Amino acid sequence: MSSFLHITNGDYTTKILENLEIQGEIITWREMLCEGKTTRDVGSEDFWKTRFDFLSSAYKITKKTFIDFTLKEYRNLCKQNQDEIILWFDYDLFCQVNMLAVISWLKKFRKGRKITVVQSGNSDNHDKMVGFSELTNDELLNLYQNRTQLTQDDIEYADYIWQLYCSDSPLRLETVHKFNPSSPFIYLSDAINAHLKRFPSINNGLNKVENTIIKTVNDSNFKSENELISSLLKQQEVYGFGDIQYINKIKELKKLFSSFDPVKLSESGIKVLNNQINYYRELRSDFSYLGGAKKYSYLYLNANDKLLKLTS
C-alpha cells in the first residue's frame, strides 16, 4: 500500500484533515514567507537564520517560539519519507508563496517522489473565492479525490518562480509567471500580481495594501482599531493576511492617523490618500524586504502596472 504525507498551510487545515480522518501523516508548514526577507535555499541554516532575524525584528518572535512552532515541525518533515506527498495550500499570496518554497525543498530533498496538490479557490457552490476553512467536508473530500499530480516540469517551474521571488530584483516576475498556461498552479499568477503591487506606488509612496488601509478608514466609521482590522480581513482579495500583519502595517502608518478611538486619518493621511503628498521618504527603509528584493528600491507605476528600479 502507498504511504501518504500531507503538508498543510496551517494549523486550521491540519485540524480539518484530522477531523476528516484522511489517511497519512500530517506536517504543518508554519511560516509567512510572503513577509520579510527570504533566501533560495529552503531549509538551510542561512534560510532559517534569515527568517528568525525577520520574525524577531518585525513580530518580536522569541527564539523558543520559533524553535517550538516552526523548526521542530520542519525537523519532523525531514524525517518523513512517504510515497506520495500531498500539498494543501489556499489560493492567496500567503499560501502560494509558502507552497513554492515547499516544492523547492521537495525538489531538492525528495527527488522522484509523487507530489500532488489540493488548492482551494474557485468553487461551483460559492460566489467568491474560498479557502479550506470555508468548505464543507464533502467539498474538501472532492478536492482531495481530484487532486492534481505535478509533473517534473511543474516542479521545475514552481522552483524557478521561487528562485525569482528570492532574487534581489522582482522585475523578471513581471512577465515570466504569465507564460505557462498549462500550469496546474492556477492561482499563482494572481498571487504574483498581488505581490508586485506591494512595492511602493509612485503616486504617494504607499503600496496597494497600505493604500487599502487608509482608503478603508476614509470610507468608513470604525470605533476601534479592532473594527478596522476585522473589516480589512473580510475585504482582502488575494493576500491572505492574518490580523498580526495588519496590526504591523497600521503601526508603520501610525502618523497617518489622528485617532484610533474612533479611527480617523490625520491631515497628512488625507493628503497621502489624495496623492497630494508622497510618503515614500517617511517609510523608506533599507531593511524592508519583499522576498529577496529591497522593498524601497523599486516603485510601482500604477499607470502601466510596471515596476521601476531606483538607482542609488
Side-chain angles (χ1 to χ4, degrees):
M1 290 180 65
S2 295
S3 55
F4 301 94
L5 171 66
H6 303 268
I7 303 178
T8 73
N9 61 348
D11 290 275
Y12 198 94
T13 303
T14 293
K15 192 170 183 179
I16 289 173
L17 296 193
E18 288 172 345
N19 290 336
L20 286 174
E21 298 183 347
I22 290 178
Q23 180 187 351
E25 296 294 318
I26 305 173
I27 292 291
T28 309
W29 184 260
R30 297 192 183 108
E31 248 292 5
M32 54 168 83
L33 297 172
C34 64
E35 288 274 287
K37 189 174 183 179
T38 60
T39 59
R40 294 181 170 99
D41 49 345
V42 181
S44 70
E45 186 175 337
D46 180 59
F47 175 85
W48 290 122
K49 182 183 184 304
T50 298
R51 293 307 299 162
F52 174 70
D53 288 346
F54 164 71
L55 293 168
S56 173
S57 172
Y59 292 100
K60 311 305 178 191
I61 301 296
T62 65
K63 183 169 285 189
K64 183 180 187 307
T65 298
F66 184 68
I67 291 171
D68 291 346
F69 191 71
T70 300
L71 279 189
K72 282 185 178 178
E73 193 73 351
Y74 168 71
R75 289 166 184 161
N76 192 13
L77 169 63
C78 294
K79 299 173 186 175
Q80 307 297 323
N81 206 23
Q82 286 82 351
D83 300 316
E84 180 180 347
I85 301 165
I86 303 146
L87 309 181
W88 294 76
F89 287 89
D90 283 323
Y91 63 90
D92 52 67
L93 173 68
F94 191 107
C95 284
Q96 292 289 299
V97 172
N98 282 340
M99 180 184 70
L100 293 176
V102 170
I103 294 174
S104 181
W105 185 87
L106 293 171
K107 173 179 177 284
K108 183 174 182 179
F109 294 105
R110 295 295 180 269
K111 190 173 183 179
R113 287 291 182 276
K114 179 180 180 181
I115 302 173
T116 55
V117 294
V118 182
Q119 298 182 88
S120 72
N122 292 315
S123 170
D124 293 337
N125 301 326
H126 301 266
D127 58 4
K128 66 179 184 69
M129 301 279 272
V130 290
F132 295 129
S133 63
E134 301 168 276
L135 297 174
T136 66
N137 287 351
D138 285 343
E139 288 171 328
L140 287 164
L141 288 170
N142 184 58
L143 282 178
Y144 175 57
Q145 289 160 3
N146 291 284
R147 61 192 182 274
T148 302
Q149 181 173 346
L150 301 184
T151 66
Q152 187 59 36
D153 284 347
D154 297 331
I155 294 167
E156 296 284 352
Y157 176 67
D159 177 60
Y160 180 52
I161 298 296
W162 171 250
Q163 305 303 316
L164 292 181
Y165 180 82
C166 295
S167 73
D168 59 6
S169 169
L171 297 180
R172 288 291 305 280
L173 278 176
E174 285 188 303
T175 54
V176 75
H177 74 279
K178 299 175 183 177
F179 299 120
N180 193 3
S182 61
S183 167
F185 309 114
I186 55 178
Y187 304 112
L188 183 57
S189 183
D190 285 344
I192 295 298
N193 279 329
H195 164 62
L196 297 174
K197 291 177 181 177
R198 294 191 298 161
F199 289 91
S201 163
I202 196 170
N203 292 340
N204 63 6
L206 270 60
N207 67 15
K208 176 71 181 293
V209 177
E210 295 154 355
N211 271 302
T212 295
I213 291 172
I214 63 171
K215 185 177 187 304
T216 300
V217 171
N218 190 64
D219 292 347
S220 309
N221 295 301
F222 299 110
K223 295 178 182 177
S224 66
E225 183 178 344
N226 285 341
E227 277 193 12
L228 167 60
I229 291 169
S230 178
S231 177
L232 292 168
L233 290 171
K234 288 176 184 175
Q235 70 169 296
Q236 66 177 341
E237 297 164 350
V238 70
Y239 288 100
F241 293 159
D243 54 358
I244 61 170
Q245 278 90 24
Y246 283 113
I247 290 169
N248 209 36
K249 278 290 171 203
I250 291 168
K251 189 182 298 183
E252 291 174 359
L253 301 173
K254 63 183 178 181
K255 291 184 179 178
L256 299 182
F257 294 83
S258 62
S259 167
F260 287 102
D261 183 23
V263 185
K264 290 184 178 180
L265 294 180
S266 64
E267 184 178 340
S268 294
I270 293 171
K271 287 182 177 179
V272 170
L273 176 64
N274 294 321
N275 299 332
Q276 293 171 333
I277 59 175
N278 195 297
Y279 212 62
Y280 175 88
R281 290 184 181 276
E282 285 74 10
L283 291 176
R284 187 184 181 281
S285 167
D286 284 334
F287 302 102
S288 183
Y289 282 80
L290 295 171
K294 288 187 175 182
K295 176 179 176 181
Y296 292 98
S297 291
Y298 297 85
L299 288 176
Y300 189 79
L301 308 179
N302 302 71
N304 56 6
D305 293 325
K306 292 285 185 182
L307 285 176
L308 171 71
K309 187 180 190 313
L310 297 175
T311 55
S312 55

